[in-house]
Amino acid sequence: MMKVTFLGTGTSQGVPMIGCKCEVCMSKDFHDKRLRSSVLVESGDTVIVIDSGPDFRYQMLRERVDYLDAILITHGHKDHVGGLDDVRAYNYILGRPVDVYGEERVLKILKKDFDYAFAPERYPGVPEIILHRIDTDKFCIKQLEITPIRGYHYKLPVLGFRIGPFAYLTDMNRIDFEEQEKLKGVDTLVINALRREPHISHFTLNQALEVIGYVKPRQAYLTHISHQMGLHQEINKELPANVAFAYDTLKIEINQAI
């Protein structure tokens, strides 16, 4: 059985957004409190996090994640990599570096943004990270086979990931037919849906539903949601039976035998 925990389901500014007084940002409902998007995937003795945004430290503390095999990075924007420095705690607790997987362009960003972690002479206590270059070919972390899914965040190539019956796509507004084919047969699909109105680099609600309709998963969840989408409890009622808005701390289980 695979267990997936939604660590964060918000957009780059999170929800509530600083200074905003809209009904979503002022909501008292915990479903409307969204940290930057990330998920925790647990399967057997393998523990993976997809993206380490600025809320990474709090997310790991909240879910009591005291063991970590690897971090997969979808792309190099700060809301997806900004918390990487906090892997230092895992270096100390586990006594080893943390494995981080990303495309070559992403690894270059990490080496630039966290240059002190990769310097020839490093200050004591800096993060210990082993970088692994990936592309669109399948790769494995322990017993888990992972299939990268190519999508586009406006003109920026980004990756989603299929892990057995589970697939996770964020920060996309286009995914070509050939890549959608890789998603056929998934049990559970997570896909970004920023808002209802058109956006230059993210799927809208209707565009996300179109992809879901093509892939036909048993269950789909929407993530990377902005305050412009509306109140969770209200908009969730509008969705098809097999689609739901994800929320922070939501935990789901997926049968890997599917």
Side-chain angles (χ1 to χ4, degrees):
M1 190 69 69
M2 179 184 293
K3 180 180 177 182
V4 176
T5 302
F6 288 85
L7 302 171
T9 57
T11 187
S12 59
Q13 298 186 82
V15 182
M17 187 179 80
I18 293 173
C20 184
K21 305 298 182 183
C22 75
E23 65 173 353
V24 177
C25 289
M26 298 299 288
S27 171
K28 302 298 183 184
D29 184 355
F30 78 92
H31 294 93
D32 294 315
K33 310 300 183 186
R34 302 182 184 277
L35 300 178
R36 270 61 72 95
S37 290
S38 175
V39 289
L40 171 71
V41 180
E42 301 171 271
S43 176
D45 65 348
T46 307
V47 180
I48 296 170
V49 168
I50 302 180
D51 287 336
S52 55
D55 303 307
F56 177 75
R57 174 182 174 275
Y58 175 71
Q59 291 165 336
M60 297 297 96
L61 286 170
R62 185 189 62 199
E63 301 303 326
R64 300 180 180 179
V65 182
D66 56 9
Y67 177 85
L68 185 61
D69 283 298
I71 300 174
L72 310 183
I73 305 294
T74 59
H75 64 295
H77 286 169
K78 275 294 189 294
D79 56 319
H80 294 264
V81 302
L84 193 61
D85 180 85
D86 284 313
V87 301
R88 290 180 293 136
Y90 290 109
N91 299 154
Y92 176 75
I93 296 297
L94 302 178
R96 59 168 171 78
V98 170
D99 292 299
V100 174
Y101 292 75
E103 294 188 88
E104 182 62 32
R105 71 175 65 82
V106 172
L107 302 188
K108 288 180 179 179
I109 290 170
L110 299 183
K111 290 177 182 177
K112 175 178 67 71
D113 291 357
F114 302 95
D115 57 347
Y116 53 90
F118 304 100
E121 297 183 10
R122 296 181 299 161
Y123 188 84
V126 300
E128 296 179 23
I129 300 168
I130 297 177
L131 297 176
H132 300 266
R133 184 179 63 81
I134 59 174
D135 47 33
T136 54
D137 293 332
K138 295 180 181 180
F139 63 98
C140 291
I141 297 176
K142 294 165 74 169
Q143 84 281 7
L144 287 184
E145 182 179 84
I146 301 169
T147 302
I149 308 295
R150 168 67 70 215
Y152 293 89
H153 186 32
Y154 184 43
K155 296 180 180 180
L156 176 69
V158 299
L159 290 179
F161 298 102
R162 177 173 181 171
I163 307 174
F166 170 73
Y168 182 79
L169 310 178
T170 186
D171 283 49
M172 294 184 183
N173 72 319
R174 178 165 67 88
I175 177 171
D176 292 338
F177 173 78
E178 294 80 5
E179 297 300 299
Q180 291 191 47
E181 286 292 293
K182 295 180 182 179
L183 298 169
K184 282 299 187 75
V186 296
D187 174 82
T188 304
L189 172 66
V190 178
I191 185 170
N192 70 290
L194 186 75
R195 62 190 191 189
R196 298 176 189 271
E197 298 80 15
H199 191 272
I200 193 172
S201 60
H202 290 275
F203 284 133
T204 64
L205 175 57
N206 284 338
Q207 289 169 339
L209 291 175
E210 287 178 7
V211 176
I212 293 167
Y214 179 79
V215 175
K216 293 181 172 58
R218 179 190 61 83
Q219 180 66 48
Y221 293 96
L222 305 175
T223 193
H224 210 287
I225 301 159
S226 81
H227 64 147
Q228 296 169 319
M229 183 67 81
L231 294 168
H232 175 94
Q233 298 288 16
E234 293 182 5
I235 57 178
N236 216 32
K237 298 174 184 177
E238 304 175 15
L239 299 177
N242 69 326
V243 182
F245 281 96
Y247 57 88
D248 293 19
T249 74
L250 172 64
K251 296 175 174 58
I252 59 175
E253 292 188 345
I254 305 165
N255 185 355
Q256 290 179 266
I258 295 173

